Amino acid sequence: MIDEVVAVQEPNGYLNTYYVDDRKPERMLTQTQTTGHELYNIGHMLQGAIAYYRGTGERKLLDAGIRFVNDFLIPNYGPAPKQPIVSGHPEIELALIELYRITADKRQLDLAGYILQGDERLHLPERRTIYMFSGTPFTARTKLEGHAVRAMYACCGATDYYMETGDPTYWKTLNTLWNDMTSTKMYVTGGVGSRSDGEAFGHAYELPNDRAYGESCAAIGNMMWNWRMLAATGDAKFTDVIERALYNGINSGMSLDGTLYCYRNPLAFDPSTGEKIRNPWYDTTCCPPNLERTFASLPGYFYSTSTDGIYLHLYDNSELNWRLENGIGLKVRQKTNYPWDGRIEVTITPAEPSNFTFYLRIPGWADSAQVAVNGKSMTGAKPGEYLPIRRQWSPGDIIQLQMEMPVHALEANPQVADDSGRVAVQRGPLVYCMEELDQPKGVAISDVAVDLGRKPEAQFQSELRSDLLGGVVVLHHTGVAYERGSARSALYSRYSGQPPQTRRVPLTFIPYYAWSNRQQTSMQVWTPVVQA
């Protein structure tokens, strides 16, 4: 495949099989750069080439990408007297900076910075379908708006640029945007982008459930951005967002059998609308390869090294065979049934006894965590932080982490209108939902409510179902179903002041990521609460 791609590269370095023949005059026009995917495509090719080079040592595709950048882009596009350049769909910025990390050619970093700051010669009207508006510097942003995927990729590129330059104006902007997203514009699943119009962010607290767009690629972009913010800081609050997006808003995007996918990921669904949420294909085909590259790249998200040791970010059965930054070889093996169980055993095997710090992540959802090394209890574990364990490590040392997994009922900010009087259910890192097919016959999920009392955690029972949805923990709860009399079935009726009649019913919750894997049925994440 690489041979075929490289064979069509032109002598000037240009490589894009769409803008050829009768479309050749459209190359790198301001309009096509702004609304199209010309630079976006070469950016992805560059990242693929870099990953392939790192994994195999093969340079053929990498060298083709370098020729595109060094022979075509850099000589012709940038500050005057060169031609204008704009990233309508951010991605080239990430690729240029990653390429700089390979080549140390600062021209590539500088071009990424120029694109991020916007070309002042371009004064196009702002468009809600794009994020990097022409002529508007990234550092002028104060809130997330516009196309959610483009916004996330722009933030990724800007974080990469900050990590290479240390520019404080970028860091200030990135934190402002992160706070805007996580406090007013992110779904409980880690999905982002609430509007179908423009696949865009909405206003603060505009987080509808059935109309939620939550494109799979946007949740992936959210994870990519938080991974970079984590790399810049070592702050576990970014890992909490990574895990929330990965286990919920991203994992929901692909069907369990790998043959269907969701373009959007709503938090409520009514099949009577006629929409089919999982499909084998869409006209826009970005989600399947983005999901696959995310799953394929997961090993790189589990650990990080630092000058004084190693960080453990995510939990799953796995083995790391790597090295500390001082060059000493290191193996780390995890044994666990996470996310269904909160017990993790980590075996550490350095090539030789070594002093370093092992940073063990305690997730923000964990009310408490017990940590022991070789059976000796450790203190200092706090939810939402890394526990630094500093000692001399010998081959076969074992860290034991035990986290209880009670069910949490989450409420939204009162300004989120769609979630008023409702709760979302979460166990460990997993957000749960109800599908109507799991409820008693004749019970519509639109007519049920949860009865939480004063101890919500005690109102749910967990059951491991190895025969269901590939093996999941389901949650059982005794809630209520409202009886809908003839008067209440009218569109409008006089207020009676009388509470509706209810009956007790058993309710079942499944992990959100596994919804719509059996048949089309109603679904909801946020469920009304019985009012005392």
Side-chain angles (χ1 to χ4, degrees):
M1 188 181 294
I2 289 174
D3 290 342
E4 293 189 1
V5 170
V6 174
V8 298
Q9 186 166 27
E10 299 180 13
N12 66 357
Y14 187 83
L15 179 55
N16 188 311
T17 55
Y18 181 82
Y19 291 103
V20 295
D21 297 333
D22 58 329
R23 296 195 188 97
K24 191 171 182 178
E26 300 175 26
R27 287 181 185 177
M28 296 297 291
L29 296 177
T30 297
Q31 185 63 25
T32 57
Q33 287 186 65
T34 303
T35 60
H37 296 78
E38 195 170 3
L39 292 174
Y40 173 84
N41 289 343
I42 191 64
H44 274 302
M45 195 202 83
L46 278 167
Q47 285 194 303
I50 293 166
Y52 191 70
Y53 166 69
R54 286 174 173 162
T56 67
E58 168 59 50
R59 291 189 59 99
K60 190 166 188 177
L61 189 60
L62 175 64
D63 287 338
I66 291 173
R67 286 197 300 274
F68 185 101
V69 173
N70 288 358
D71 297 350
F72 179 79
L73 280 185
I74 290 176
N76 298 306
Y77 297 91
K82 298 177 184 178
Q83 299 177 60
I85 185 169
V86 60
S87 178
H89 194 315
E91 165 62 23
I92 187 66
E93 305 92 329
L94 290 70
L96 286 170
I97 297 169
E98 204 63 44
L99 188 63
Y100 162 72
R101 291 168 176 161
I102 292 286
T103 67
D105 187 338
K106 193 170 180 296
R107 297 178 302 164
Q108 297 156 359
L109 176 65
D110 291 342
L111 180 59
Y114 184 79
I115 294 171
L116 282 164
Q117 284 303 94
D119 197 313
E120 294 180 355
R121 293 168 293 174
L122 302 176
H123 299 288
L124 301 178
E126 291 194 356
R127 298 169 57 91
R128 285 292 173 188
T129 55
I130 63 172
Y131 188 70
M132 287 301 294
F133 304 129
S134 304
T136 304
F138 180 87
T139 51
R141 299 289 164 195
T142 58
K143 62 182 179 180
L144 286 169
E145 58 185 348
H147 192 281
V149 179
R150 300 177 191 222
M152 293 295 92
Y153 279 42
C155 290
C156 287
T159 311
D160 282 340
Y161 187 76
Y162 163 75
M163 284 194 283
E164 297 303 326
T165 65
D167 188 327
T169 57
Y170 274 85
W171 190 237
K172 179 181 178 181
T173 302
L174 288 163
N175 279 282
T176 297
L177 297 178
W178 189 87
N179 289 330
D180 178 56
M181 180 184 73
T182 57
S183 62
T184 71
K185 294 174 181 173
M186 186 177 74
Y187 283 101
V188 70
T189 59
V192 290
S194 58
R195 295 180 179 177
S196 61
D197 182 18
E199 303 180 327
F201 282 98
H203 298 303
Y205 307 107
E206 182 186 334
L207 294 166
N209 293 317
D210 59 337
R211 292 181 289 105
Y213 205 69
E215 185 185 341
S216 297
C217 285
I220 292 170
N222 188 16
M223 178 179 172
M224 288 165 49
W225 179 27
N226 276 274
W227 171 250
R228 288 161 167 80
M229 296 291 279
L230 171 64
T233 63
D235 192 329
K237 70 180 183 181
F238 301 116
T239 326
D240 283 342
V241 178
I242 290 171
E243 188 176 63
R244 181 173 295 278
L246 173 62
Y247 276 91
N248 303 290
I250 294 172
N251 203 22
S252 61
M254 185 68 71
S255 65
L256 295 178
D257 64 5
T259 64
L260 305 171
Y261 72 98
C262 299
Y263 193 90
R264 76 181 190 100
N265 295 270
L267 279 73
F269 182 72
D270 181 355
S272 68
T273 61
E275 179 183 8
K276 188 177 180 183
I277 201 68
R278 291 195 188 276
N279 293 279
W281 206 242
Y282 287 82
D283 289 341
T284 303
T285 56
C286 52
C287 294
N290 213 357
L291 287 161
E292 293 304 329
R293 73 159 177 160
T294 300
F295 297 148
S297 68
L298 279 181
Y301 284 89
F302 271 63
Y303 297 90
S304 296
T305 56
S306 66
T307 54
D308 63 339
I310 188 167
Y311 284 72
L312 194 167
H313 305 306
L314 301 176
Y315 296 110
D316 203 350
N317 290 308
S318 57
E319 183 173 303
L320 172 74
N321 188 355
W322 199 241
R323 60 185 177 275
L324 298 170
E325 291 193 5
N326 61 12
I328 294 175
L330 177 67
K331 292 183 179 180
V332 179
R333 180 172 57 84
Q334 291 190 43
K335 184 179 180 181
T336 181
N337 195 32
Y338 192 88
W340 313 118
D341 187 280
R343 184 182 296 107
I344 298 107
E345 183 179 281
V346 184
T347 303
I348 301 168
T349 306
E352 59 188 68
S354 304
N355 282 294
F356 60 90
T357 302
F358 195 102
Y359 291 91
L360 184 73
R361 173 177 169 251
I362 311 300
W365 55 258
D367 291 341
S368 63
Q370 290 77 47
V371 179
V373 177
N374 297 333
K376 183 179 180 181
S377 296
M378 302 285 299
T379 60
K382 298 178 181 178
E385 295 184 8
Y386 287 90
L387 173 64
I389 307 174
R390 299 181 179 90
R391 68 191 304 274
Q392 176 166 298
W393 298 93
S394 299
D397 283 345
I398 294 176
I399 299 174
Q400 293 171 314
L401 170 62
Q402 175 65 59
M403 299 176 288
E404 298 301 321
M405 283 195 165
V407 176
H408 292 147
L410 308 179
E411 60 181 4
N413 186 292
Q415 297 183 71
V416 183
D418 274 34
D419 300 338
S420 178
R422 295 172 177 258
V423 294
V425 177
Q426 181 172 332
R427 180 181 184 272
L430 295 174
V431 173
Y432 278 69
C433 70
M434 285 200 302
E435 284 196 296
E436 196 160 296
L437 64 85
D438 292 317
Q439 313 316 317
K441 187 176 181 180
V443 173
I445 60 172
S446 58
D447 290 340
V448 303
V450 291
D451 191 357
L452 299 180
R454 294 186 177 182
K455 294 184 177 180
E457 293 83 358
Q459 308 307 317
F460 293 86
Q461 294 78 45
S462 303
E463 180 191 8
L464 179 61
R465 287 282 305 275
S466 58
D467 61 331
L468 181 67
L469 297 166
V472 297
V473 168
V474 300
L475 303 178
H476 300 290
H477 171 80
T478 301
V480 303
Y482 293 101
E483 303 289 353
R484 301 297 184 185
S486 58
R488 289 185 180 273
S489 66
L491 181 59
Y492 304 105
S493 58
R494 291 185 181 181
Y495 175 68
S496 66
Q498 299 297 316
Q501 296 295 313
T502 62
R503 58 188 171 95
R504 307 291 286 181
V505 293
L507 302 176
T508 300
F509 295 75
I510 65 167
Y512 170 77
Y513 77 81
W515 83 280
S516 192
N517 271 279
R518 293 170 286 180
Q519 66 185 57
Q520 291 276 88
T521 185
S522 297
M523 179 276 293
Q524 66 184 20
V525 169
W526 291 90
T527 305
V529 179
V530 173
Q531 300 300 316

